[in-house]
Amino acid sequence: MTRRHVEAFQAWMIETRSPATALNKHKALQQFFTWLTVDEEEIDQSPMQRVRQPKTPKRLIPIIRDEDTKKLLDTCKGKDFVHIRDLAIIRLLSNTGARLSEVANLHLDDVDLSLDTVRYHGKGAKDRRVRLGPKTARAVSRYLRARSGHKGSGLPHLWLAVRGAQPLTSNGIKLMLKRRGLRAGVDGVHAHRWRHTYAHEWKLAGGDTGDLMLVLGWASDDMPRHYGASAAAERAQEVQARMGIGERV
């Protein structure tokens, strides 16, 4: 294994996957060859020496407009289990800006409809409780009634697959959003877009950054700057119009 092999592998990863994936592999290989060199003493020198990290361009994730969310919700009109479930999931993602994994991993005892709140289990074993808007609370309540007659109603997981007594996984929600997007004619539907939209709307309304960090479960100050960055120009124009600089004379 030589430096040339590693560089060829990284180039292949960038071409077939993404620069971000190539960077993750680069870091993993660094650890692996350090282990072989230092701990196991199987090789004298790591082939990772002088191999540069792949550059990862920052991609701006576009926010999802209210009209597009409405189109998705419109595909969920119906009284059968799958429509009621999908409506509740989409409303929860839109209303709380939670991570896909946080929504997927909800259990029944994480929902408190007496207070209209849910408890998310975030990264780093950090729990947080967030409030639900009236429409979202109604959608979740309606889903819980439909869930009570499902084969998997005895499971602790909140979301259930349509067939059998099985929980709905994160990947299942991903596929559901993709299907709903195709049906609604909305491109690029994924959970993270609502998270970016939530941060954008919060900032646009003049919300406190510290409070936003608590609601979305962030520990780093870098995250509020990253999320909603694709809509930063729109926010700047809103502020400019509100300030009216040069228009008071």
Side-chain angles (χ1 to χ4, degrees), residues 138-158:
R138 282 198 298 271
V140 172
S141 176
R142 189 182 176 209
Y143 166 71
L144 289 175
R145 292 196 300 273
R147 185 189 181 284
S148 64
H150 192 280
K151 288 182 179 179
S153 60
L155 293 173
H157 309 83
L158 177 60

Side-chain angles (χ1 to χ4, degrees), residues 101-202:
S101 60
E102 293 172 341
V103 172
N105 293 333
L106 284 172
H107 282 195
L108 283 172
D109 59 5
D110 292 322
V111 180
D112 186 347
L113 289 182
S114 64
L115 298 174
D116 287 347
T117 64
V118 293
R119 180 180 60 213
Y120 287 128
H121 306 283
K123 291 183 178 180
K126 294 179 180 177
D127 289 0
R128 69 186 188 281
R129 187 166 287 278
V130 300
R131 296 192 67 84
L132 303 179
K135 292 181 179 179
T136 302
R138 282 198 298 271
V140 172
S141 176
R142 189 182 176 209
Y143 166 71
L144 289 175
R145 292 196 300 273
R147 185 189 181 284
S148 64
H150 192 280
K151 288 182 179 179
S153 60
L155 293 173
H157 309 83
L158 177 60
W159 310 113
L160 301 178
V162 176
R163 296 181 180 86
Q166 297 291 331
L168 182 69
T169 64
S170 292
N171 192 54
I173 294 179
K174 278 185 184 178
L175 294 174
M176 178 275 286
L177 293 175
K178 185 176 181 180
R179 287 195 302 269
R180 293 289 177 187
L182 290 172
R183 193 174 302 173
V186 180
D187 294 329
V189 178
H190 54 85
H192 234 55
R193 287 186 64 186
W194 279 296
R195 193 162 170 83
H196 280 260
T197 301
Y198 194 98
H200 166 61
E201 294 288 348
W202 185 285

